[in-house]
Amino acid sequence: MKKRGISMIMSSLIKLSLAAAISGIAVGATARADQLDDIKARGKLIVGIKNDYVPFGFLTKDDQLKGFEIDLAKFVAGALVGSEGDIELVPVVASNRIELLNAGRIDLILATLGKNAERAKVLDFTEEYYNMAGVVLMAPKETTISKWEDVRGLKLCGMQGNLYNRALTGTYGAQTVLFTGTADMFKAFQDGRCAGLAFDGPILQQKLSDPEWGKKYKIALDTFNYIPIAGGVRKNEPRFLEAVNKAILAAEAAGILVEAEKAYNMGETEYVAKRAADAKAAGY
């Protein structure tokens, strides 16, 4: 009888422990799913953006943040919180944006975040909203570089965290000289520390619109790949992710990104125009 009593007590304890564990998991899941409510209660969306990355996010001469992704971030804030002014824009760079997201310092990344499988392990991607020409090579006009294989053994200036750094070194054998900010990267290239500048196509194309740059440099090599750009949110935040996705689609339907391409001299891409038409047709 004693053994049976002890057995019944142990069985009850196990059931209680399991119930508590399941309850704890449920509570944790609910808490994780409440980021959207937390943001609304706070009254502000905190977005990681670029502030030195023309035309996606940059500071004007009067210290105003402008750019393609800045316009998108403000629209998303308006959709989620109620006003485009209910936003805090936190400058990030490629090497720290995911760390800041997962540390809870920012709610959302809108900072030329390219989609790939490795990043998908540590964050959830939003809807794609841009298709960026991947790395191109800017070089002095007198360069003899004519194909990517020609960069083997050469020093190329670039940015820490860029998706293409691995291909530049592993596939093409370049020696990358990497920086955390574009200002330092551009200066190093101008100072002759690198044979070329390997960086995102839209940024370098726009850089050449500056007469001083256009006189000295050219795009020596076009991209070997295009990459979809999306936002990033912390994992296990389905309600917040859904709300952000709806806001991005609504921004596209409203023509926000089509107009941003024009406003920031990015050219009118078929990709952005098609997404806008599709979103509008879907009723967003």
Side-chain angles (χ1 to χ4, degrees), residues 30-31 33-43 237 239-240:
T30 301
D34 281 344
Q35 185 184 8
L36 181 60
D37 291 336
D38 291 342
I39 290 167
K40 289 181 177 181
R42 183 204 300 151
E237 296 289 357
R239 290 181 62 242
F240 179 56

Side-chain angles (χ1 to χ4, degrees), residues 125-128 240-250 284:
F125 287 107
T126 69
E127 286 279 339
E128 300 166 18
F240 179 56
L241 178 59
E242 181 183 11
V244 172
N245 281 336
K246 286 181 178 178
I248 290 172
L249 289 165
Y284 285 98

Side-chain angles (χ1 to χ4, degrees), residues 40-217:
K40 289 181 177 181
R42 183 204 300 151
K44 177 173 66 176
L45 179 69
I46 305 174
V47 185
I49 49 83
K50 297 287 185 70
N51 70 349
D52 63 349
Y53 213 72
V54 179
F56 293 93
F58 59 95
L59 282 169
T60 63
K61 291 179 180 178
D62 56 352
D63 289 331
Q64 296 295 309
L65 267 171
K66 299 285 186 181
F68 183 85
E69 288 177 315
I70 305 300
D71 289 359
L72 177 59
K74 289 179 178 178
F75 186 96
V76 172
L80 268 60
V81 188
S83 166
E84 291 189 359
D86 296 328
I87 190 170
E88 180 180 344
L89 298 170
V90 177
V92 300
V93 294
S95 58
N96 73 0
R97 56 193 168 182
I98 295 175
E99 179 184 350
L100 291 175
L101 177 74
N102 286 329
R105 299 279 298 279
I106 58 178
D107 302 316
L108 170 66
I109 299 172
L110 292 176
T112 59
L113 183 69
K115 288 184 69 173
N116 68 10
E118 187 174 343
R119 287 174 177 164
K121 295 175 183 176
V122 294
L123 57 73
D124 284 334
F125 287 107
T126 69
E127 286 279 339
E128 300 166 18
Y129 52 81
Y130 195 73
N131 196 37
M132 184 182 287
V135 65
V136 302
L137 187 73
M138 179 187 284
K141 284 195 170 180
E142 62 272 17
T143 186
T144 59
I145 297 171
S146 62
K147 56 186 183 299
W148 281 105
E149 287 75 14
D150 293 340
V151 303
R152 185 168 296 278
L154 299 181
K155 289 184 177 180
L156 301 182
C157 286
M159 183 70 67
Q160 288 183 18
N162 194 303
L163 284 174
Y164 294 104
N165 292 338
R166 189 175 298 176
L168 292 171
T169 57
T171 303
Y172 297 109
Q175 298 178 39
T176 52
V177 182
L178 304 179
F179 300 87
T180 58
T182 55
D184 290 338
M185 178 185 70
F186 288 137
K187 186 175 188 307
F189 174 63
Q190 288 180 296
D191 290 345
R193 290 176 56 187
C194 309
L197 173 53
F199 198 48
D200 299 330
I203 286 84
L204 294 190
Q205 288 287 359
Q206 188 169 69
K207 198 72 176 172
L208 288 178
S209 67
D210 182 330
E212 290 301 312
W213 282 73
K215 283 191 298 186
K216 298 178 181 178
Y217 309 113

